[in-house]
Amino acid sequence: MGTDMSGFLEYRVPQDDQEPIWYSAHALDSLNNVRNYDAFGCLFGVRNHANFRPLAAGRGFPADASATVSKRFAQLAEWYGEDGLHSTTWITWAEVKAVDWDEPAEKPDSRLHQFRRTSSGLRMTGKAAWNGDAFAEAVGLKAGEVREWPEGSEFLVGDTLYRSVTIRRRDAITETGEWKPVWEAMKELAEQHGDDNVRLVVWFDD
């Protein structure tokens, strides 16, 4: 079963002699509805197979969330049940702006990267999730066994090369990928309200 992400962009507006109030700006699925586990892990520590240091994991649902977001989250929590939603958290635009996108994961990806030899060189074809396949048989990997592979380890099985790779944040969240519309929307809001007054609130379901 896969994991999907939902959420909202919010912005905060100061009030005279009152605590600033958050307002809903965009539903996340209107900007990004792609299931990308490397991005989920990099940002929020969810499905973190690539072994990143998460930027904003486990912060919970913000107590001062906007009325729209609070209502929507309550509806979904009722529909999905007590354990249906998980890993709720948030991140501000100020935090996103401060990210070092060249920062590598803390250790190699737990999934070996798969390559095929072509006339123009190696071409990546995916990340290995084996269960009784040719690779597992070749290296003696038992069902359910988890191993850590040192950086740069390689295994050639038939026409497929398996390689242990440590990826960087920019590999998980590319400049032109599915997160670009989210960052552009947050930047636009921040130009009006300030970097610390714009945030993304997210939650996940399986």
Side-chain angles (χ1 to χ4, degrees):
M1 182 179 294
T3 297
D4 293 305
M5 176 181 63
S6 302
F8 283 83
L9 298 189
E10 294 185 314
Y11 63 95
R12 181 167 54 184
V13 178
Q15 305 289 316
D16 293 338
D17 301 323
Q18 297 180 24
E19 286 293 318
I21 296 176
W22 288 92
Y23 295 91
S24 170
H26 301 284
L28 180 59
D29 60 9
S30 69
L31 301 168
N32 174 12
N33 61 0
V34 178
R35 180 188 288 174
N36 181 339
Y37 291 159
D38 287 344
F40 293 177
C42 172
L43 293 172
F44 309 117
V46 174
R47 296 276 187 166
N48 193 11
H49 306 300
N51 297 308
F52 283 106
R53 175 185 63 82
L55 295 173
R59 294 177 172 179
F61 189 80
D64 57 355
S66 64
T68 298
V69 176
S70 296
K71 181 179 179 180
R72 182 58 176 163
F73 184 79
Q75 287 175 334
L76 292 173
E78 182 177 354
W79 292 344
Y80 281 96
E82 183 176 347
D83 300 321
L85 303 180
H86 63 87
S87 306
T88 305
T89 192
W90 52 270
I91 188 170
T92 67
W93 176 240
E95 291 174 302
V96 173
K97 282 183 64 175
V99 173
D100 175 7
W101 295 105
D102 287 317
E103 181 184 353
E106 295 183 305
K107 57 184 180 180
D109 197 327
S110 58
R111 304 150 299 176
L112 294 179
H113 294 205
Q114 296 173 275
F115 300 86
R116 288 276 183 176
R117 297 190 184 277
T118 69
S119 58
S120 57
L122 290 175
R123 179 174 63 87
M124 186 172 174
T125 58
K127 297 186 179 186
W130 46 80
N131 182 16
D133 63 6
F135 173 82
E137 183 177 347
V139 300
L141 193 65
K142 298 177 182 178
E145 181 183 355
V146 177
R147 291 188 194 175
E148 290 190 2
W149 312 97
E151 169 77 18
S153 299
E154 291 186 345
F155 308 88
L156 182 61
V157 181
D159 294 329
T160 302
L161 178 70
Y162 297 83
R163 178 184 293 162
S164 177
V165 177
T166 300
I167 69 173
R168 301 171 299 165
R169 293 196 188 277
R170 70 171 64 257
D171 299 319
I173 302 173
T174 64
E175 290 185 8
T176 59
E178 69 273 7
W179 282 88
K180 182 179 179 180
V182 181
W183 302 153
E184 289 180 341
M186 293 183 77
K187 179 181 178 181
E188 183 176 339
L189 288 166
E191 288 172 351
Q192 301 176 58
H193 306 290
D195 295 349
D196 289 312
N197 294 323
V198 176
R199 70 185 175 193
L200 169 63
V201 181
V202 299
W203 52 85
F204 297 83
D205 64 88
D206 298 328

